[in-house]
Amino acid sequence: MTTEIMSWILREKKKRSESESENKLDGETASDSESKSEFGGSLPVPTSDDTPEVLNRALSNLSSRWKNWWVRGILTLAMITFFFIIIYLGPMVLMMIVMCVQIKCFHEIITIGYNVYHSYDLPWFRTLSWYFLLCVNYFFYGETVTDYFFTLVQREEPLRILSKYHRFISFALYLTGFCMFVLSLVKKHYRLQFYMFGWTHVTLLIVVTQSHLIIHNLFEGMIWFIVPISCVICNDIMAYMFGFFFGRTPLIKLSPKKTWEGFIGGFFATVLFGLLLSYVMSGYRCFTCPVEFNNDTNSFTVDCEPSELFQLQEYNIPLVLQSVVGWKTLRMYPFQIHSIALSTFASLIGPFGGFFASGFKRAFKIKDFANTIPGHGGIMDRFDCQYLMATFVNVYIASFIRGPNPSKLIQQFLTLRPDQQLHIFNTLKAHLVDKGMLGSLEDA
């Protein structure tokens, strides 16, 4: 009897292990299967081929590998051309483009969540998601306008009132959405609704916050916007090229097509590209000057006296390298040294944003976030590394570049009451006298 029971237990264990092994397709585990059933059955399916018919006919005689290479190459050139056009149109157009990209990325991620949960017919999910996007954008853009265009805000009465109560208004708007979410809770779907609440907020954190930092970088000077983005683009292209022609060694399981050859080749190409691009752009004020509002012309201007960061300086070459290169000194812009840090991050750490996105897509069994750009996927597929880069650039500027801004201090000083201005004046005067930079108070 005991022998029969043991045999039955062994048979059951064998059946269970076989069923679990069948479920482990493409990395799927038993927990994945449970989540799959809990989330309403099938997950989003991979996107279909969306290559334009013109390219399909022109490349019909090529293998799928070379066809994909040409499609990606042609569309990449088209996107780079579009990038040059919007740079020519100026910083305000760039800011609008960043906002449009942000909205499209948000839409792509939220759509994935909606496709997973749509069978439950959860009320107000998409409405609340877009409402929270509106609230967060109102908060961030209001903070940016108040910070960078303080003079304009103080001059216009409606803007001054909105600026004064901006955070209270933003909080009230968010609370309205929060209450709407609580009222929308449906019995038996509480867990799913809270999943989607968290989904929306994580998406806002990843997409909206990072795009806000991109705009902050842009206002510091277009060079802080163009060079980092261009380094990511260059690394993406060169890593693909090196991997396509020389790739042999897989880099990471999340992205099987990524290779060590492409990763290393992309790094050296990106650092060289960053140095050359920084040298060219550092000589133009339209790229190096911050975006400011001019009271005299009532317009936004990009004109200033270049800082030391964008003035050519001589650097002594180490003795070890002098015999190799044949030079004792080298003239370059200090910004080029910073560009090495930017391009290094773009090529070594930036790709992890893409690996993160790859893991996300694998979790939901999809190839791309969308099929907006043939051969490239969705907008989020092209900007997964850019968001990580934007955070680094913003932190880098705050840590190593930006100092106290005298013009902003004066603007805030002029908005104070006369007695407050007089108190600050006397305090500053006494401080300068103590430092020996002014005569005694009695002489004054």
Side-chain angles (χ1 to χ4, degrees):
M1 185 69 177
T2 306
T3 307
E4 293 177 359
I5 293 174
M6 292 299 295
S7 301
W8 179 81
I9 292 174
L10 290 172
R11 285 197 303 271
E12 288 298 318
K13 284 185 176 180
K14 185 177 180 181
K15 289 179 182 178
R16 188 177 300 174
S17 63
E18 288 175 354
S19 63
E20 287 181 357
S21 63
E22 290 174 359
N23 285 334
K24 293 181 180 178
L25 299 175
D26 195 20
E28 181 181 346
T29 62
S31 60
D32 292 328
S33 301
E34 293 170 4
S35 300
K36 194 172 182 180
S37 62
E38 181 182 353
F39 293 163
S42 60
L43 293 171
V45 296
T47 55
S48 59
D49 181 26
D50 56 334
T51 306
E53 189 61 30
V54 177
L55 291 179
N56 270 329
R57 287 200 299 267
L59 306 173
S60 59
N61 296 326
L62 298 177
S63 65
S64 59
R65 183 170 182 261
W66 279 100
K67 178 184 175 182
N68 182 60
W69 190 89
W70 278 105
V71 170
R72 287 176 66 94
I74 293 170
L75 269 297
T76 297
L77 289 176
M79 287 188 288
I80 291 174
T81 303
F82 177 70
F83 184 56
F84 281 129
I85 292 173
I86 61 175
I87 288 173
Y88 175 78
L89 294 175
M92 302 313 294
V93 175
L94 279 172
M95 185 178 74
M96 298 305 297
I97 293 295
V98 169
M99 189 172 184
C100 292
V101 168
Q102 172 217 114
I103 293 172
K104 187 64 176 72
C105 290
F106 181 83
H107 171 258
E108 291 176 359
I109 299 177
I110 288 298
T111 299
I112 294 173
Y114 178 73
N115 289 336
V116 174
Y117 297 100
H118 74 283
S119 61
Y120 287 96
D121 193 25
L122 301 179
W124 298 0
F125 163 56
R126 287 198 290 188
T127 302
L128 283 175
S129 296
W130 288 102
Y131 177 80
F132 281 125
L133 176 68
L134 177 66
C135 292
V136 174
N137 270 311
Y138 175 79
F139 171 74
F140 278 128
Y141 276 87
E143 292 283 314
T144 300
V145 170
T146 303
D147 187 30
Y148 284 92
F149 308 115
F150 187 79
T151 304
L152 173 64
V153 170
Q154 292 300 316
R155 195 180 65 181
E156 302 293 336
E157 184 64 20
L159 291 178
R160 190 178 64 81
I161 294 173
L162 286 175
S163 173
K164 184 177 181 180
Y165 302 106
H166 172 68
R167 295 194 176 185
F168 181 81
I169 295 171
S170 301
F171 184 64
L173 289 172
Y174 179 83
L175 279 182
T176 302
F178 180 81
C179 293
M180 289 171 62
F181 167 74
V182 174
L183 293 174
S184 72
L185 290 173
V186 177
K187 190 176 181 181
K188 295 183 180 180
H189 294 326
Y190 292 149
R191 180 184 295 180
L192 295 177
Q193 288 182 282
F194 277 102
Y195 281 159
M196 295 314 301
F197 185 76
W199 182 291
T200 300
H201 282 67
V202 170
T203 305
L204 291 171
L205 176 65
I206 293 174
V207 175
V208 183
T209 305
Q210 311 304 321
S211 62
H212 170 69
L213 296 180
I214 290 177
I215 292 174
H216 265 234
N217 301 338
L218 173 62
F219 284 143
E220 293 293 330
M222 288 180 64
I223 195 169
W224 291 105
F225 172 86
I226 297 172
V227 170
I229 285 182
S230 300
C231 284
V232 172
I233 294 173
C234 174
N235 182 71
D236 194 33
I237 294 172
M238 298 310 297
Y240 177 76
M241 296 286 285
F242 276 94
F244 186 87
F245 290 106
F246 309 109
R248 295 291 183 274
T249 312
L251 175 64
I252 186 171
K253 290 183 179 179
L254 280 173
S255 295
K257 294 182 179 180
K258 298 288 193 301
T259 63
W260 275 104
E261 291 81 3
F263 187 73
I264 296 171
F267 165 70
F268 287 107
T270 303
V271 171
L272 180 61
F273 171 80
L275 284 169
L276 295 175
L277 180 63
S278 300
Y279 181 83
V280 173
M281 295 186 66
S282 295
Y284 295 91
R285 294 186 180 187
C286 59
F287 294 131
T288 60
C289 292
V291 181
E292 295 179 343
F293 182 78
N294 191 315
N295 285 316
D296 298 328
T297 60
N298 288 327
S299 62
F300 296 102
T301 60
V302 185
D303 188 26
C304 66
E305 189 65 31
S307 66
E308 293 182 358
L309 208 59
F310 306 107
Q311 295 178 10
L312 281 171
Q313 297 184 20
E314 278 198 359
Y315 294 91
N316 294 321
I317 298 177
L319 294 174
V320 180
L321 298 177
Q322 286 183 12
S323 58
V324 179
V325 299
W327 306 330
K328 292 185 178 181
T329 60
L330 177 67
R331 284 177 61 82
M332 62 186 299
Y333 294 99
F335 180 78
Q336 288 181 271
I337 300 174
H338 295 290
S339 75
I340 296 175
L342 299 179
S343 56
T344 299
F345 184 91
S347 53
L348 296 185
I349 308 298
F352 281 85
F355 300 152
F356 177 85
S358 296
F360 180 89
K361 288 182 285 187
R362 280 178 170 270
F364 290 94
K365 303 295 185 291
I366 56 176
K367 180 183 177 183
D368 298 310
F369 283 96
N371 54 5
T372 309
I373 310 171
H376 291 269
I379 299 295
M380 190 64 198
D381 291 286
R382 294 298 90 210
F383 282 84
D384 46 13
C385 301
Q386 297 287 2
Y387 286 130
L388 191 62
M389 187 71 191
T391 305
F392 172 74
V393 174
N394 193 268
V395 171
Y396 189 87
I397 292 173
S399 302
F400 305 107
I401 306 299
R402 186 190 297 132
N405 191 327
S407 61
K408 287 185 179 180
L409 291 175
I410 292 173
Q411 290 172 2
Q412 294 177 352
F413 176 79
L414 294 176
T415 61
L416 299 175
R417 298 194 310 268
D419 60 314
Q420 293 174 325
Q421 293 179 4
L422 187 61
H423 174 71
I424 293 175
F425 171 76
N426 290 329
T427 303
L428 180 60
K429 184 178 180 180
H431 175 73
L432 293 176
V433 169
D434 291 340
K435 289 278 190 179
M437 300 176 68
L438 287 178
S440 63
L441 292 174
E442 290 78 7
D443 296 338

